[in-house]
Amino acid sequence: MAYTIFFVLHNTDELPRLLSAWHNLGIHCRSVMNSTTYDHQQPPHRIPMRFSINPTLTASEKDTLSLFAFASDLDQVKQCLEASQEILGELERDDSGYLPAWQLAYPSSKQ
């Protein structure tokens, strides 16, 4: 059964190494998107409005990258996690990233 991997990368300079390691495992990243991670210790101080003029990052925000990829089975997800930790260190650290994965009931295509 196929799995979706969602990875939020905090150290964006490591993207080429991470994608290369995943590619060597047969995991091909399908999308890379710019994203923002908020410090959960400090809520962002913004005035709620639909559109923000000149948005700037506060001390509690960090530019990150969000990656979407697909793995063929749970073993491949575990290999992806191990390869990611070899590059970034333990993912429990706040400055590395996080990797959730979930099983797909109805994959639309093969890897």
Side-chain angles (χ1 to χ4, degrees):
M1 185 62 74
Y3 285 79
T4 296
I5 297 171
F6 174 68
F7 191 90
V8 177
L9 178 63
H10 292 192
N11 185 354
T12 58
D13 294 336
E14 294 292 354
L15 179 64
R17 289 181 59 207
L18 189 68
L19 291 179
S20 177
W22 287 12
H23 182 77
N24 291 340
L25 294 171
I27 299 170
H28 305 286
C29 187
R30 301 296 186 195
S31 296
V32 177
M33 299 182 301
N34 292 319
S35 54
T36 303
T37 299
Y38 293 96
D39 182 351
H40 51 275
Q41 302 293 329
Q42 240 180 18
H45 302 285
R46 288 190 176 175
I47 299 170
M49 54 185 3
R50 184 174 194 134
F51 301 104
S52 179
I53 299 171
N54 295 327
T56 57
L57 293 178
T58 66
S60 65
E61 300 175 15
K62 179 178 170 85
D63 285 332
T64 57
L65 293 173
S66 294
L67 292 72
F68 287 91
F70 298 100
S72 58
D73 56 27
L74 187 56
D75 286 336
Q76 200 174 35
V77 173
K78 290 176 183 176
Q79 291 172 354
C80 179
L81 175 61
E82 291 169 3
S84 300
Q85 288 182 326
E86 284 180 20
I87 295 167
L88 303 170
E90 292 298 318
L91 296 184
E92 287 81 19
R93 293 189 352 254
D94 287 340
D95 64 343
S96 57
Y98 50 91
L99 188 155
W102 57 92
Q103 192 173 24
L104 294 174
Y106 301 103
S108 64
S109 66
K110 293 188 178 192
Q111 239 179 287

